[in-house]
Amino acid sequence: MALGTAVLAGVMAPAGATPAGPGEYPGVRNILPPGQSGSINAAEAAQVAAGDPQGRVAVDGQNAPANFADQLEMYDALNHADLGGLTDGQLSAFYKDAPLTLSNRDAVRTDRPKFGVIIRWDSFAVPYIEGKTREDAAFGSGYAGTKDRMFLMDLLRHVGAARAAEFLGPDEANVAMDQEQLRAAFYTPEEAAAQIDQAAERFGAEGRRLVAALDAYIAGINAAQQELCPAVVTGPECPAEYAALQKKPEPWTRADVVYVASLVGGIFGKGGGAEFANARWLQQLEARFGADEAKRIFDDLALADDPEAPTTASTPAPYGSGPVDPTLPGVALPDLDGPTAPGTGADAGNGGLPDPGLGSLQGRFGTQDRATVVQGPFGPIDLGGVPDMMSNAALVAGDRTVDGHPRVVFGPQTGYFTPQLLTEQAVVAPGIRARGVSFAGTSLVVQLGRGVDYAWSATSAGSDLVDTVVERLCDLAGGEATVESEGYLVGNECRPMDKDVHEETALPNAAAPGLPQTYRFLVLRTEHGIVQVRTTVDGRPVAVVLERSTYGRELDSALGFERLGNPDYVQDAATFRDAAAAIDYTFNWFYVDDRDIAYYSSGRLPVRADGVDGHLPRWGDAAYDWQGWLAVDDHPQQANPPSGFLVSWNNKQAPGFSAADDQWGYGPVHRSQAISDRLADLAATGGVTTTDVVAAVQDAATVDSRAFYTLPSLLDVVGDDPELADAVSLLRGWQQRGAHRLDQDRDGAYEEQAAIALFDAWWGAADEQGVAQDLLRGTLGDLVGELPQRVDDHPRQGLGSSWNGVAWYGYVLKDLDVVRGIDPGAWSRAYCGGGDLATCQADLRTSLRAAVDGVLAEQGVSSVDQLTYDKHLDDIRATTAGLVASRPIDWQNRPTFQQVVDYSSHRPR
């Protein structure tokens, strides 16, 4: 009780004075490129254009407005720092200090947008918000967040509501984006707003307090919008994008916050939903190899619970499916070549709308088949410019450090945007004392950051909370069902689908000229979710539906976030676990204070019925519906592990925790090993310092994990071939030196560019087949091109995040171990060379020789050591989410927002 009184005394201090009480436990630094000030008015736009009239690229210290791109330079600088000589004193060149409060003396500017709220901004333009009440602070968060991300927030709410065309204009890219969002998270405005009251009812007094704060947050957004853009599209501080669109921002509502949450959660906080694609693959295998062998091949390649996969927790957490079994009574396999009719997103009567694609049924690997780009007022905005899974965490326990206190470096990889999708704030009020980041438009809460004397972060878990459900169609008039039918069977009852028409009117503008257009989209839903397509199973008409456990509960996770920032709730690792467990989206959560490190994997994970197979679509019969939810104690979790460290880079959560049906990359090769190998060495030696962990994570950030972990096996099988000796020597030398893609001296070229050029050619480009496919082709033949898994996750995508969850990396090790007899039980069979080692060796030599000949001819050189590689192909290229861009930077595989934590003290325990 005394502790709670002390906390309240601190946060109830009068506005204008730095609150007393527990607060300044130092030990947290962070970085968030490009910069905190993300809104650009007309004068600032002119400043940027004066320095770069064509590209409108803002560079700090040249033409960028203050705090627009300042943190980008710090972020980039670490990439070519001397990691071996890194000192604690140098960290301030790469990270900013991250206290909870700011004195009047240190404030660059101060504002009091309403009674009870004071906002101070520091030299990095981070707002420090103090509120007399929780609602006052929420108002301040909405107000400050809008000042920094107004147009981006507006963009996200319109895309989340499937109204991109209405907001941005009648462009086919905007229409396609709206189709995809309808298929992922359609809600009427009434349904979206109702989720707020439903959450309040579920969570009682705690929920009602959160809803009151939400309403204040919305009021803060609207106050800032009115202040920035008081007229139609004018005002000296109004973001320049509105003049181009000829639009005045509309007031925010409760529904808008739900729409943003649905968009963000749909990108970062789900897993599964690829059962339709898996079913097609299994049936293709059956047609070629027969039912029994097809199942063995499917299980080999799915890597659903591979014992060689690196895990974050060392303690088992059994969950998920076993070997694939299409004969189970609950399994429904759509016909490979059956007739189809579109589902949600189809034309509902205006004419001219193309049918939506089926990328939504491929889980995390359907991105290339889904619309992700909208046409903004100044060019395309790629909202798909985010990795499919992302973020890393490196935590070293206190018993392995120099002073007995843990050392941690962690953060989310949310892609690179200008302005950034995340926005930073520090908030102090009753019930919250936290600093960190949230997605723009959701900054009611601090989603990732620090508290009074603890810090937390997350990585995407991708656990399986989306299933593909097959409903039997029926004719509502009593006739014979067809794929066009809009009735479905619930037991013996023919029930009408929930049918809506989503309508929007798009007015032309300079970026999207033409005539005004009205679009009408069909929306079909069953009791399980949104209809994606209609087709047949064994010739009978069916609807294919995606069921997501968080659908209709988009705001529920806010309760967990609210708890994370509340010092009265989070006191230690155990109470952190309880807070994180209230988050329905699927994330791996990490905690550190001055004594403990801890991990918990969240998600509203369904317990599946007997008779279904988690890899494959299931019938919509009641007998096969979800049976409940995985208990908190059964989720992957661990505190202070015996290894002395915790690592996550979107790898497998725990032994026995099966991968989601869209995740086949939990095999013996994963990028997390680039960090865990380094932390294992540090933990074994002991005496670990803050700079040791920073250096280890940054060193891992330039490793080509694909090459480092596959080349030893590949080159061993290639063996001694005089024609390939130079190529083998070049590749082996690069691997032994760490397989880095790094321009340490910034002379314009990677130090190992010749080896990089050769290995990239051998592996094959994203749209080509290379050495990994050559291995499996010896058995699978042309089916290697049908496998529903991407070939690579290469830096050339411009996303930064790379090498994540690619099944083919692990296939190389598995197959070569089996064919060499090193681990004959790793798979059911060897694939390379049809299972014959000599043939496999010949195939690999042919593959490497073709790569050497091809790249030498392409570059016009005579030897592999003369090869070059343009490092700028790998540059991180931020998506411009408005008028002004930021400059590309050298590739590094690193969190977008990164915290460095080394607490040495704590509240009394």
Side-chain angles (χ1 to χ4, degrees):
M1 187 66 179
L3 177 61
T5 303
V7 172
L8 289 176
V11 297
M12 291 290 283
T18 300
E24 295 318 309
Y25 289 91
V28 182
R29 304 172 177 91
N30 72 36
I31 191 73
L32 178 64
Q36 180 60 25
S37 294
S39 289
I40 294 288
N41 60 35
E44 292 165 334
Q47 173 185 332
V48 173
D52 183 7
Q54 298 299 318
R56 300 188 303 275
V57 175
V59 179
D60 191 62
Q62 298 180 23
N63 63 333
N67 304 121
F68 185 82
D70 51 343
Q71 294 185 62
L72 181 67
E73 302 306 320
M74 300 168 67
Y75 187 89
D76 182 45
L78 184 60
N79 194 28
H80 60 96
D82 177 11
L83 298 179
L86 192 63
T87 66
D88 195 71
Q90 294 173 329
L91 291 180
S92 60
F94 312 118
Y95 300 93
K96 61 187 191 293
D97 192 31
L100 286 173
T101 58
L102 186 72
S103 69
N104 287 329
R105 182 185 67 253
D106 294 330
V108 172
R109 59 190 174 97
T110 302
D111 195 2
R112 292 174 172 81
K114 69 179 288 289
F115 177 78
V117 182
I118 183 169
I119 306 174
R120 303 178 182 88
W121 283 266
D122 68 11
S123 60
F124 287 97
V126 174
Y128 293 70
I129 300 157
E130 294 175 23
K132 189 175 182 64
T133 66
R134 178 67 183 97
E135 290 81 7
D136 288 336
F139 181 98
S141 293
Y143 181 89
T146 303
K147 288 292 188 86
D148 287 329
R149 299 287 190 276
M150 180 173 164
F151 177 73
L152 177 61
M153 290 167 57
D154 216 352
L155 173 66
L156 295 178
R157 68 163 163 165
H158 280 90
V159 173
R163 296 191 177 277
E166 183 175 282
F167 182 56
L168 298 172
D171 185 272
E172 63 181 18
N174 302 335
V175 173
M177 176 64 81
D178 289 338
Q179 283 182 311
E180 286 301 328
Q181 183 61 12
L182 290 172
R183 293 162 64 76
F186 167 77
Y187 302 110
T188 67
E190 295 76 18
E191 289 172 342
Q195 291 185 47
I196 309 295
D197 290 329
Q198 291 162 4
E201 184 176 347
R202 275 193 289 272
F203 302 130
E206 199 174 7
R208 291 190 292 275
R209 288 193 297 270
L210 185 59
V211 170
L214 173 66
D215 287 337
Y217 175 72
I218 294 168
I221 292 174
N222 289 331
Q225 280 196 164
Q226 181 61 30
E227 184 178 311
L228 290 170
C229 301
V232 177
V233 289
T234 61
E237 298 302 320
C238 192
E241 293 85 0
Y242 290 99
L245 293 174
Q246 290 296 297
K247 281 185 168 62
K248 184 181 189 297
E250 296 293 328
W252 278 59
T253 68
R254 285 180 170 186
D256 290 321
V257 178
V258 173
Y259 287 136
V260 176
S262 72
L263 180 67
V264 171
I267 295 172
F268 298 101
K270 68 178 183 182
E275 295 92 347
F276 183 85
N278 291 347
R280 292 186 63 83
W281 169 244
L282 179 62
Q283 291 174 91
Q284 289 171 312
L285 291 175
E286 288 176 339
R288 177 75 58 87
F289 297 99
D292 291 341
E293 185 64 9
K295 288 191 292 184
R296 287 190 286 269
I297 294 173
F298 185 99
D299 289 333
D300 283 347
L301 301 181
L303 297 171
D305 190 16
D306 182 25
E308 293 185 278
T311 62
T312 295
S314 59
T315 52
Y319 177 74
S321 296
V324 69
D325 186 356
T327 67
L328 290 171
V331 171
L333 300 180
D335 298 331
L336 280 176
D337 299 311
T340 63
T344 295
D347 194 317
N350 59 293
L353 286 179
D355 287 343
L358 297 181
S360 60
L361 292 171
Q362 297 177 40
R364 60 192 287 261
F365 294 117
T367 303
Q368 63 271 25
D369 297 319
R370 294 200 297 266
T372 61
V373 178
V374 295
Q375 184 64 36
F378 299 99
I381 302 172
D382 186 1
L383 295 174
V386 295
D388 57 81
M389 292 180 67
M390 55 226 79
S391 315
N392 66 34
L395 301 87
V396 178
D399 62 0
R400 309 302 172 98
T401 67
V402 67
D403 59 3
H405 300 296
R407 296 295 193 276
V408 169
V409 176
F410 52 17
Q413 286 175 282
T414 54
Y416 295 84
F417 287 76
T418 305
Q420 187 50 249
L421 288 179
L422 300 172
T423 186
E424 187 175 2
Q425 61 180 341
V427 188
V428 171
I432 185 170
R433 196 174 181 93
R435 174 183 177 149
V437 297
S438 309
F439 288 96
T442 68
S443 57
L444 165 67
V445 291
V446 173
Q447 292 162 348
L448 306 141
R450 64 158 297 180
V452 170
D453 47 17
Y454 59 92
W456 74 95
S457 190
T459 68
S460 292
S463 301
D464 195 357
L465 50 71
V466 183
D467 278 2
T468 303
V469 179
V470 177
E471 313 274 19
R472 297 175 177 86
L473 292 178
C474 56
D475 182 68
L476 293 168
E480 185 177 352
T482 72
V483 293
E484 300 283 350
S485 296
E486 295 180 0
Y488 70 106
L489 289 176
V490 179
N492 294 320
E493 175 191 357
C494 186
R495 183 176 298 179
M497 292 181 184
D498 179 31
K499 181 178 180 179
D500 283 275
V501 174
H502 178 79
E503 184 172 311
E504 57 179 331
T505 297
L507 300 178
N509 55 56
L515 297 174
Q517 298 287 335
T518 296
Y519 302 106
R520 303 179 76 246
F521 303 89
L522 176 68
V523 177
L524 296 174
R525 292 181 289 183
T526 73
E527 63 181 13
H528 291 106
I530 300 174
V531 176
Q532 305 297 306
V533 70
R534 287 168 287 178
T535 185
T536 58
V537 170
D538 294 330
R540 295 180 58 188
V542 298
V544 180
V545 175
L546 285 182
E547 181 175 27
R548 171 165 59 93
S549 69
T550 53
Y551 184 67
R553 305 169 66 101
E554 307 290 357
L555 206 69
D556 284 23
S557 293
L559 178 70
F561 292 120
E562 181 77 352
R563 290 174 175 176
L564 286 172
N566 185 344
D568 293 328
Y569 195 99
V570 176
Q571 305 276 344
D572 51 25
T575 49
F576 153 77
R577 194 281 302 260
D578 295 341
I583 296 172
D584 286 348
Y585 292 124
T586 168
F587 290 103
N588 300 306
W589 293 98
F590 296 90
Y591 169 91
V592 61
D593 58 25
D594 71 325
R595 184 183 67 186
D596 298 315
I597 60 174
Y599 161 59
Y600 179 81
S601 189
S602 73
R604 192 168 188 251
L605 303 183
V607 175
R608 292 175 172 85
D610 292 339
V612 305
D613 186 303
H615 305 286
L616 301 171
R618 76 168 201 267
W619 287 113
D621 303 350
Y624 305 122
D625 282 346
W626 292 336
Q627 305 296 297
W629 313 104
L630 189 68
V632 170
D633 288 345
D634 293 333
H635 283 242
Q637 55 195 290
Q638 193 166 27
N640 302 317
S643 66
F645 64 91
L646 289 166
V647 166
S648 174
W649 208 349
N650 314 114
N651 50 290
K652 185 178 175 69
Q653 295 88 337
F657 194 82
S658 293
D661 55 86
D662 65 337
Q663 172 57 269
W664 291 23
Y666 289 168
V669 175
H670 199 282
R671 66 180 182 178
S672 65
Q673 294 161 293
I675 297 179
S676 60
D677 288 351
R678 287 161 173 77
L679 290 201
D681 290 342
L682 290 175
T685 303
V688 177
T689 66
T690 303
T691 54
D692 287 338
V693 184
V694 170
V697 174
Q698 186 60 33
D699 192 52
T702 58
V703 172
D704 186 327
S705 296
R706 168 198 61 168
F708 185 81
Y709 292 103
T710 65
L711 271 174
S713 294
L714 286 167
L715 297 179
D716 284 352
V717 174
V718 168
D720 297 326
D721 183 334
E723 292 184 22
L724 296 172
D726 290 344
V728 169
S729 176
L730 178 69
L731 293 173
R732 197 179 293 279
W734 175 46
Q735 190 276 336
Q736 291 173 345
R737 290 185 292 274
H740 289 278
R741 303 173 79 99
L742 177 65
D743 179 10
Q744 179 75 52
D745 57 10
R746 290 296 171 99
D747 67 352
Y750 286 147
E751 276 76 5
E752 304 275 3
Q753 63 174 330
I756 291 168
L758 177 56
F759 188 69
D760 277 7
W762 195 17
W763 191 267
D767 57 349
E768 300 173 355
Q769 294 187 14
V771 62
Q773 293 73 44
D774 292 339
L775 262 68
L776 269 61
R777 188 176 290 107
T779 296
L780 297 183
D782 59 1
L783 281 181
V784 295
E786 300 297 323
L787 183 67
Q789 297 293 306
R790 62 182 175 179
V791 173
D792 206 357
D793 184 25
H794 197 282
R796 70 171 68 91
Q797 299 170 99
L799 304 178
S801 179
S802 306
W803 322 128
N804 182 42
V806 177
W808 290 97
Y809 304 161
Y811 294 169
V812 170
L813 261 65
K814 286 283 189 183
D815 199 23
L816 295 183
D817 280 356
V818 175
V819 77
R820 289 181 292 172
I822 294 174
D823 185 4
W827 267 353
S828 68
R829 63 180 299 164
Y831 294 83
C832 183
D836 178 72
L837 178 57
T839 304
C840 176
Q841 182 181 65
D843 288 348
L844 283 184
R845 288 178 175 179
T846 298
S847 176
L848 179 55
R849 191 173 295 111
V852 170
D853 292 344
V855 72
L856 290 179
E858 178 183 331
Q859 296 198 15
V861 297
S862 59
S863 64
V864 291
D865 60 355
Q866 296 175 314
L867 293 171
T868 60
Y869 184 85
D870 181 1
K871 73 166 188 174
H872 296 300
L873 294 172
D874 295 357
D875 279 355
I876 295 173
R877 300 178 290 277
T879 293
T880 303
L883 171 60
V884 173
S886 57
R887 72 175 183 86
I889 60 173
D890 274 24
W891 175 72
Q892 51 180 314
N893 203 354
R894 180 182 175 193
T896 316
F897 170 68
Q898 190 174 50
Q899 297 184 93
V900 177
V901 186
D902 52 5
Y903 283 116
S904 59
S905 55
H906 193 276
R907 290 167 285 175
R909 289 185 169 93

